[in-house]
Amino acid sequence: PLANVRIVLDAATGPVSTTRTTPAGTFSLDAPAGEYVLRVVADGFDAPPQRVTLDEAREASATIALQVRAVAEQVVVSAGVV
C-alpha cells in the first residue's frame, strides 16, 4: 500500500471528488450515484483510469494496481590519463 497517493473521481463535467490515501493505502470518497472515472496520481507510478458506477444503495470498492513507471537514467563516465 502507498500513502498520500492522490485519488480523483471524474465525471463527464470534470472532477467530482478528490482525496489522498491514508498511511494504510486506503481511501474514501463521497459522490452522488452515477458513472465516473477513478484516477490515481502517484509520482513514479502509472495506473490506468478505472470506470466505476456508484449506487446510492450500496458502498463501492476498488482495488488499484500501480505499475512502476519506467525510469530513464544516463550515466556519463570519462577517464583521463595521469
Coordinates of all heavy atoms in Angstrom, one line a residue:
P1 N 0.8 -1.2 0.0 CA 0.0 0.0 0.0 C 0.9 1.3 0.0 O 1.9 1.3 0.6 CB -0.8 -0.1 1.3 CG -0.7 -1.5 1.7 CD 0.6 -2.0 1.1
L2 N 0.4 2.3 -0.7 CA 1.1 3.6 -0.7 C 0.3 4.6 0.0 O -0.9 4.8 -0.2 CB 1.4 4.0 -2.2 CG 2.4 3.2 -2.9 CD1 2.5 3.7 -4.4 CD2 3.8 3.3 -2.3
A3 N 1.0 5.4 0.8 CA 0.3 6.5 1.5 C 0.4 7.8 0.7 O 1.3 8.0 -0.2 CB 1.0 6.7 2.8
N4 N -0.5 8.7 0.9 CA -0.5 10.0 0.3 C -0.6 10.0 -1.2 O -0.1 11.0 -1.9 CB 0.7 10.8 0.8 CG 0.5 12.3 0.7 OD1 -0.7 12.8 0.9 ND2 1.5 13.1 0.4
V5 N -1.2 9.0 -1.8 CA -1.5 9.0 -3.3 C -2.8 9.8 -3.6 O -3.8 9.6 -2.8 CB -1.6 7.5 -3.7 CG1 -2.0 7.4 -5.2 CG2 -0.3 6.8 -3.5
R6 N -2.7 10.6 -4.6 CA -3.9 11.4 -4.9 C -4.9 10.5 -5.7 O -4.6 9.9 -6.7 CB -3.5 12.6 -5.8 CG -4.5 13.6 -6.0 CD -4.0 14.9 -6.6 NE -5.1 15.7 -7.0 CZ -5.2 16.2 -8.3 NH1 -4.3 15.9 -9.2 NH2 -6.2 16.9 -8.6
I7 N -6.2 10.6 -5.3 CA -7.3 9.8 -5.9 C -8.3 10.9 -6.4 O -8.7 11.8 -5.6 CB -8.0 8.9 -4.9 CG1 -6.9 8.0 -4.2 CG2 -9.0 8.1 -5.6 CD1 -6.3 7.0 -5.0
V8 N -8.6 10.8 -7.7 CA -9.6 11.7 -8.3 C -10.7 10.9 -8.9 O -10.5 10.0 -9.6 CB -8.9 12.5 -9.4 CG1 -9.8 13.5 -10.0 CG2 -7.6 13.2 -8.8
L9 N -11.9 11.4 -8.6 CA -13.2 10.8 -9.2 C -13.7 11.8 -10.2 O -14.1 12.9 -9.8 CB -14.2 10.5 -8.1 CG -15.4 9.7 -8.5 CD1 -15.0 8.3 -8.9 CD2 -16.4 9.7 -7.3
D10 N -13.7 11.5 -11.4 CA -14.1 12.4 -12.5 C -15.4 12.0 -13.1 O -15.7 10.8 -13.3 CB -13.1 12.3 -13.7 CG -11.8 13.0 -13.4 OD1 -11.8 14.0 -12.7 OD2 -10.7 12.6 -13.9
A11 N -16.3 13.0 -13.3 CA -17.5 12.8 -14.1 C -17.2 13.4 -15.5 O -16.1 14.0 -15.8 CB -18.6 13.6 -13.4
A12 N -18.2 13.4 -16.4 CA -18.0 13.9 -17.7 C -17.8 15.4 -17.7 O -17.1 16.0 -18.6 CB -19.3 13.7 -18.5
T13 N -18.2 16.1 -16.6 CA -18.0 17.5 -16.5 C -16.7 17.9 -15.8 O -16.4 19.1 -15.6 CB -19.2 18.2 -15.7 OG1 -19.3 17.5 -14.4 CG2 -20.5 18.0 -16.5
G14 N -16.0 17.0 -15.2 CA -14.7 17.2 -14.5 C -14.7 16.6 -13.2 O -15.5 15.7 -12.9
P15 N -13.7 16.9 -12.4 CA -13.5 16.2 -11.1 C -14.7 16.5 -10.1 O -15.2 17.6 -10.1 CB -12.3 16.9 -10.5 CG -11.5 17.5 -11.6 CD -12.6 17.8 -12.6
V16 N -15.1 15.4 -9.5 CA -16.3 15.5 -8.5 C -15.8 15.4 -7.1 O -16.3 16.1 -6.2 CB -17.2 14.3 -8.8 CG1 -18.3 14.2 -7.7 CG2 -17.9 14.4 -10.2
S17 N -14.7 14.6 -6.9 CA -14.2 14.4 -5.5 C -12.7 14.1 -5.6 O -12.3 13.3 -6.6 CB -15.0 13.3 -4.8 OG -14.6 13.2 -3.5
T18 N -11.9 14.6 -4.7 CA -10.5 14.3 -4.7 C -10.1 14.0 -3.2 O -10.6 14.6 -2.3 CB -9.7 15.5 -5.2 OG1 -10.1 15.8 -6.5 CG2 -8.2 15.2 -5.2
T19 N -9.2 13.1 -3.0 CA -8.7 12.8 -1.7 C -7.3 12.2 -1.8 O -6.8 12.1 -3.0 CB -9.6 11.8 -1.0 OG1 -9.3 11.7 0.4 CG2 -9.6 10.4 -1.6
R20 N -6.7 11.8 -0.7 CA -5.4 11.1 -0.7 C -5.5 9.9 0.1 O -6.3 9.8 1.0 CB -4.3 12.1 -0.1 CG -4.1 13.2 -1.0 CD -2.7 13.9 -0.8 NE -2.4 14.9 -1.7 CZ -1.6 14.7 -2.8 NH1 -1.1 13.5 -3.0 NH2 -1.4 15.7 -3.6
T21 N -4.7 8.9 -0.2 CA -4.7 7.6 0.6 C -4.2 7.8 2.0 O -3.3 8.7 2.2 CB -4.0 6.5 -0.1 OG1 -2.6 6.9 -0.3 CG2 -4.6 6.2 -1.5
T22 N -4.6 7.0 2.9 CA -4.2 7.0 4.3 C -2.8 6.3 4.4 O -2.3 5.7 3.4 CB -5.2 6.3 5.2 OG1 -5.1 4.9 4.8 CG2 -6.6 6.8 5.1
P23 N -2.1 6.3 5.5 CA -0.9 5.6 5.7 C -1.1 4.1 5.4 O -0.1 3.4 4.9 CB -0.5 5.8 7.1 CG -1.1 7.2 7.5 CD -2.4 7.2 6.7
A24 N -2.3 3.6 5.5 CA -2.5 2.2 5.2 C -2.8 2.0 3.7 O -3.1 0.8 3.3 CB -3.7 1.6 6.0
G25 N -2.9 3.1 2.9 CA -3.2 2.9 1.5 C -4.6 2.9 1.1 O -5.0 2.6 0.0
T26 N -5.5 3.2 2.1 CA -7.0 3.2 1.8 C -7.4 4.6 1.5 O -6.8 5.6 1.8 CB -7.7 2.6 3.0 OG1 -7.5 3.4 4.1 CG2 -7.3 1.2 3.3
F27 N -8.6 4.7 1.0 CA -9.2 6.0 0.7 C -10.7 5.9 0.7 O -11.3 4.8 0.6 CB -8.8 6.6 -0.6 CG -9.2 5.8 -1.8 CD1 -10.4 6.1 -2.5 CD2 -8.5 4.7 -2.3 CE1 -10.8 5.4 -3.6 CE2 -8.9 4.0 -3.4 CZ -10.1 4.4 -4.1
S28 N -11.4 7.0 0.9 CA -12.8 7.1 0.9 C -13.2 8.4 0.1 O -12.6 9.4 0.4 CB -13.4 7.1 2.3 OG -14.8 7.3 2.3
L29 N -14.2 8.3 -0.7 CA -14.8 9.4 -1.5 C -16.3 9.5 -1.3 O -16.9 8.4 -1.3 CB -14.4 9.3 -3.0 CG -13.0 9.4 -3.4 CD1 -12.8 9.0 -4.8 CD2 -12.4 10.8 -3.2
D30 N -16.8 10.7 -1.3 CA -18.3 10.8 -1.3 C -18.7 11.4 -2.7 O -18.1 12.4 -3.1 CB -18.8 11.7 -0.2 CG -18.6 11.1 1.1 OD1 -18.9 9.9 1.2 OD2 -18.2 11.7 2.1
A31 N -19.7 10.8 -3.3 CA -20.2 11.3 -4.6 C -21.6 10.8 -4.8 O -21.9 9.7 -4.3 CB -19.3 10.9 -5.7
P32 N -22.4 11.5 -5.6 CA -23.8 11.0 -5.9 C -23.7 9.8 -6.8 O -22.7 9.5 -7.4 CB -24.5 12.2 -6.5 CG -23.4 13.2 -6.9 CD -22.2 12.8 -6.1
A33 N -24.8 9.1 -6.8 CA -24.9 7.9 -7.7 C -24.6 8.3 -9.2 O -25.0 9.5 -9.6 CB -26.2 7.2 -7.6
G34 N -23.9 7.5 -9.9 CA -23.6 7.8 -11.3 C -22.4 7.1 -11.9 O -21.8 6.2 -11.2
E35 N -22.1 7.4 -13.1 CA -20.9 6.8 -13.8 C -19.7 7.8 -13.7 O -19.8 9.0 -13.9 CB -21.2 6.7 -15.3 CG -22.4 5.7 -15.5 CD -22.1 4.3 -15.3 OE1 -20.9 3.9 -15.6 OE2 -22.9 3.5 -14.8
Y36 N -18.6 7.2 -13.3 CA -17.4 8.0 -13.1 C -16.1 7.3 -13.6 O -16.2 6.1 -13.9 CB -17.2 8.3 -11.6 CG -18.3 9.0 -10.9 CD1 -19.3 8.4 -10.3 CD2 -18.3 10.4 -11.0 CE1 -20.4 9.1 -9.7 CE2 -19.4 11.1 -10.4 CZ -20.4 10.4 -9.7 OH -21.4 11.1 -9.1
V37 N -15.1 8.1 -13.6 CA -13.7 7.5 -13.9 C -12.9 7.8 -12.7 O -12.8 8.9 -12.2 CB -13.1 8.1 -15.2 CG1 -11.7 7.6 -15.4 CG2 -13.9 7.8 -16.4
L38 N -12.2 6.8 -12.2 CA -11.4 6.9 -11.0 C -9.9 6.9 -11.5 O -9.5 6.0 -12.2 CB -11.6 5.6 -10.1 CG -10.9 5.6 -8.7 CD1 -11.4 6.7 -7.8 CD2 -11.0 4.3 -8.1
R39 N -9.3 8.0 -11.1 CA -7.9 8.2 -11.5 C -7.0 8.2 -10.3 O -7.3 8.7 -9.2 CB -7.6 9.5 -12.2 CG -8.3 9.6 -13.6 CD -7.9 10.8 -14.4 NE -8.3 12.0 -13.7 CZ -7.5 13.0 -13.2 NH1 -6.2 12.9 -13.4 NH2 -8.0 14.1 -12.6
V40 N -5.8 7.7 -10.4 CA -4.8 7.6 -9.4 C -3.5 8.4 -9.9 O -3.1 8.1 -11.0 CB -4.4 6.2 -9.0 CG1 -3.3 6.1 -8.0 CG2 -5.6 5.4 -8.6
V41 N -3.1 9.3 -9.0 CA -1.9 10.1 -9.4 C -0.8 9.9 -8.3 O -1.0 10.3 -7.2 CB -2.3 11.6 -9.5 CG1 -1.1 12.5 -9.9 CG2 -3.5 11.8 -10.5
A42 N 0.3 9.3 -8.7 CA 1.4 9.0 -7.8 C 2.7 9.1 -8.5 O 2.9 8.5 -9.6 CB 1.2 7.6 -7.2
D43 N 3.6 9.9 -8.0 CA 4.9 10.1 -8.6 C 5.6 8.8 -8.8 O 5.7 8.0 -7.8 CB 5.8 11.1 -7.8 CG 5.3 12.5 -7.8 OD1 4.6 12.9 -8.8 OD2 5.6 13.3 -6.9
G44 N 6.1 8.5 -10.0 CA 6.9 7.3 -10.2 C 6.0 6.1 -10.5 O 6.6 5.0 -10.7
F45 N 4.7 6.3 -10.6 CA 3.8 5.1 -10.8 C 2.8 5.5 -11.9 O 2.4 6.6 -12.1 CB 3.0 4.7 -9.6 CG 3.9 4.2 -8.5 CD1 4.5 5.0 -7.5 CD2 4.2 2.8 -8.4 CE1 5.3 4.5 -6.5 CE2 5.0 2.3 -7.4 CZ 5.5 3.2 -6.5
D46 N 2.3 4.5 -12.6 CA 1.2 4.6 -13.6 C 0.1 3.7 -13.1 O 0.3 2.6 -12.7 CB 1.7 4.2 -15.0 CG 2.6 5.2 -15.6 OD1 2.4 6.4 -15.4 OD2 3.5 4.8 -16.3
A47 N -1.1 4.1 -13.4 CA -2.3 3.3 -13.1 C -3.3 3.7 -14.1 O -3.7 4.9 -14.3 CB -2.8 3.6 -11.7
P48 N -3.9 2.7 -14.9 CA -4.9 3.1 -15.9 C -6.2 3.6 -15.2 O -6.5 3.1 -14.1 CB -5.1 1.8 -16.6 CG -4.7 0.7 -15.7 CD -3.6 1.3 -14.8
P49 N -6.8 4.6 -15.7 CA -8.1 5.0 -15.1 C -9.1 3.9 -15.1 O -9.1 3.0 -16.0 CB -8.6 6.1 -16.1 CG -7.4 6.5 -16.9 CD -6.5 5.3 -16.9
Q50 N -10.0 3.8 -14.1 CA -11.0 2.8 -14.0 C -12.4 3.4 -14.0 O -12.6 4.4 -13.3 CB -10.8 2.0 -12.7 CG -9.6 1.2 -12.5 CD -9.6 0.4 -11.3 OE1 -10.6 0.3 -10.6 NE2 -8.4 -0.1 -10.9
R51 N -13.2 2.8 -14.8 CA -14.6 3.2 -14.8 C -15.3 2.6 -13.6 O -15.2 1.4 -13.4 CB -15.3 2.8 -16.1 CG -14.8 3.5 -17.3 CD -15.8 3.4 -18.5 NE -15.4 4.2 -19.6 CZ -15.5 5.5 -19.7 NH1 -16.1 6.2 -18.8 NH2 -15.1 6.1 -20.8
V52 N -16.1 3.4 -12.9 CA -16.8 2.9 -11.8 C -18.3 3.4 -11.8 O -18.5 4.5 -12.3 CB -16.2 3.4 -10.4 CG1 -14.8 2.7 -10.2 CG2 -16.1 4.9 -10.3
T53 N -19.2 2.6 -11.3 CA -20.6 3.0 -11.2 C -20.9 3.1 -9.7 O -20.8 2.1 -9.0 CB -21.5 2.0 -11.9 OG1 -21.1 2.0 -13.3 CG2 -23.0 2.4 -11.8
L54 N -21.4 4.2 -9.3 CA -21.8 4.3 -7.9 C -23.3 4.2 -7.8 O -24.0 4.8 -8.6 CB -21.3 5.7 -7.3 CG -19.8 5.9 -7.3 CD1 -19.5 7.2 -6.6 CD2 -19.1 4.8 -6.5
D55 N -23.7 3.5 -6.7 CA -25.2 3.3 -6.5 C -25.4 3.7 -5.1 O -24.7 3.3 -4.1 CB -25.4 1.8 -6.7 CG -26.9 1.4 -6.5 OD1 -27.6 2.2 -5.9 OD2 -27.2 0.3 -6.9
E56 N -26.5 4.5 -4.9 CA -26.8 5.0 -3.5 C -27.1 3.9 -2.5 O -27.0 4.1 -1.3 CB -27.9 6.0 -3.6 CG -27.5 7.3 -4.2 CD -28.6 8.3 -4.3 OE1 -29.6 8.2 -3.6 OE2 -28.5 9.3 -5.0
A57 N -27.5 2.8 -3.0 CA -28.0 1.7 -2.2 C -26.8 0.9 -1.6 O -27.1 0.1 -0.6 CB -28.9 0.7 -3.0
R58 N -25.6 1.1 -2.1 CA -24.5 0.3 -1.5 C -23.2 1.0 -1.7 O -23.0 1.9 -2.5 CB -24.4 -1.1 -2.2 CG -24.2 -1.0 -3.7 CD -24.2 -2.4 -4.3 NE -24.1 -2.2 -5.7 CZ -22.9 -2.4 -6.4 NH1 -21.8 -2.7 -5.7 NH2 -22.9 -2.2 -7.7
E59 N -22.2 0.6 -0.9 CA -20.9 1.1 -1.0 C -20.2 0.4 -2.1 O -20.4 -0.7 -2.5 CB -20.1 0.8 0.3 CG -20.4 1.7 1.5 CD -19.5 1.5 2.6 OE1 -18.4 0.8 2.5 OE2 -19.8 2.0 3.7
A60 N -19.2 1.2 -2.7 CA -18.4 0.6 -3.8 C -17.0 0.5 -3.3 O -16.6 1.3 -2.5 CB -18.5 1.5 -5.1
S61 N -16.2 -0.4 -3.9 CA -14.8 -0.5 -3.5 C -14.0 -0.7 -4.8 O -14.6 -1.2 -5.8 CB -14.6 -1.6 -2.5 OG -14.9 -2.9 -3.2
A62 N -12.8 -0.4 -4.7 CA -11.9 -0.5 -5.9 C -10.5 -0.9 -5.4 O -10.0 -0.4 -4.4 CB -11.8 0.8 -6.7
T63 N -9.9 -1.8 -6.1 CA -8.5 -2.2 -5.8 C -7.7 -1.7 -7.0 O -8.1 -2.0 -8.2 CB -8.3 -3.7 -5.7 OG1 -9.1 -4.1 -4.6 CG2 -6.9 -4.1 -5.4
I64 N -6.7 -0.9 -6.8 CA -6.0 -0.3 -7.9 C -4.5 -0.8 -7.9 O -3.8 -0.7 -6.9 CB -6.0 1.2 -7.7 CG1 -7.4 1.7 -7.7 CG2 -5.2 1.9 -8.8 CD1 -7.6 3.1 -7.1
A65 N -4.1 -1.4 -9.0 CA -2.7 -1.9 -9.1 C -1.9 -0.8 -9.8 O -2.2 -0.3 -10.9 CB -2.7 -3.1 -10.0
L66 N -0.9 -0.4 -9.1 CA 0.0 0.6 -9.6 C 1.2 -0.1 -10.2 O 1.7 -1.0 -9.7 CB 0.5 1.6 -8.5 CG -0.5 2.4 -7.8 CD1 0.1 3.2 -6.6 CD2 -1.2 3.3 -8.7
Q67 N 1.7 0.5 -11.3 CA 2.9 -0.1 -12.0 C 4.0 0.9 -11.9 O 3.7 2.1 -12.1 CB 2.6 -0.4 -13.5 CG 1.3 -1.2 -13.6 CD 1.6 -2.4 -14.5 OE1 2.5 -2.4 -15.3 NE2 0.9 -3.5 -14.3
V68 N 5.2 0.5 -11.6 CA 6.3 1.4 -11.5 C 6.6 1.9 -12.9 O 6.7 1.2 -13.9 CB 7.6 0.7 -11.0 CG1 8.8 1.6 -11.0 CG2 7.3 0.1 -9.6
R69 N 6.7 3.2 -13.0 CA 6.9 3.9 -14.3 C 8.4 3.6 -14.7 O 9.3 3.6 -13.8 CB 6.7 5.4 -14.1 CG 6.8 6.2 -15.4 CD 6.5 7.6 -15.2 NE 5.1 7.8 -14.8 CZ 4.7 8.7 -13.9 NH1 5.5 9.5 -13.4 NH2 3.4 8.8 -13.6
A70 N 8.6 3.5 -16.0 CA 9.9 3.2 -16.5 C 10.8 4.4 -16.1 O 10.4 5.6 -16.2 CB 9.9 3.1 -18.0
V71 N 12.0 4.1 -15.7 CA 13.0 5.1 -15.3 C 14.1 5.2 -16.3 O 14.6 4.2 -16.7 CB 13.6 4.8 -13.9 CG1 14.6 5.8 -13.5 CG2 12.5 4.7 -12.9
A72 N 14.3 6.4 -16.8 CA 15.4 6.6 -17.8 C 16.5 7.4 -17.1 O 16.3 8.5 -16.7 CB 14.9 7.3 -19.0
E73 N 17.7 6.8 -17.0 CA 18.8 7.5 -16.4 C 20.0 7.3 -17.4 O 20.1 6.4 -18.1 CB 19.2 6.9 -15.1 CG 18.2 7.2 -14.0 CD 18.7 6.7 -12.6 OE1 19.9 6.7 -12.4 OE2 17.8 6.4 -11.8
Q74 N 20.8 8.3 -17.3 CA 22.0 8.3 -18.1 C 23.2 8.6 -17.2 O 23.2 9.5 -16.4 CB 21.9 9.4 -19.2 CG 23.1 9.4 -20.2 CD 22.9 10.5 -21.2 OE1 22.1 11.4 -21.1 NE2 23.8 10.4 -22.3
V75 N 24.2 7.8 -17.4 CA 25.4 7.9 -16.6 C 26.6 8.2 -17.6 O 26.8 7.4 -18.5 CB 25.7 6.7 -15.7 CG1 27.1 6.8 -15.0 CG2 24.6 6.4 -14.8
V76 N 27.3 9.2 -17.4 CA 28.4 9.5 -18.2 C 29.7 9.3 -17.4 O 29.9 9.8 -16.4 CB 28.4 11.0 -18.7 CG1 29.6 11.3 -19.6 CG2 27.1 11.3 -19.5
V77 N 30.6 8.5 -18.0 CA 31.9 8.2 -17.4 C 33.0 8.6 -18.3 O 33.0 8.3 -19.5 CB 32.0 6.6 -17.1 CG1 33.3 6.3 -16.5 CG2 30.9 6.2 -16.2
S78 N 33.9 9.4 -17.7 CA 35.0 9.8 -18.6 C 36.3 9.5 -17.8 O 36.3 9.5 -16.6 CB 34.9 11.3 -18.9 OG 34.9 12.0 -17.7
A79 N 37.3 9.2 -18.5 CA 38.6 8.8 -17.9 C 39.7 9.7 -18.5 O 39.6 10.0 -19.7 CB 38.9 7.4 -18.1
G80 N 40.7 10.0 -17.8 CA 41.8 10.7 -18.3 C 43.1 10.0 -17.9 O 43.1 9.1 -17.1
V81 N 44.2 10.3 -18.6 CA 45.5 9.7 -18.3 C 46.2 10.7 -17.4 O 46.3 11.9 -17.7 CB 46.3 9.5 -19.6 CG1 47.6 8.9 -19.3 CG2 45.5 8.6 -20.5
V82 N 46.8 10.1 -16.3 CA 47.5 10.9 -15.4 C 49.0 10.7 -15.6 O 49.6 9.7 -15.8 CB 47.2 10.6 -13.9 CG1 48.0 11.4 -13.0 CG2 45.7 10.7 -13.7

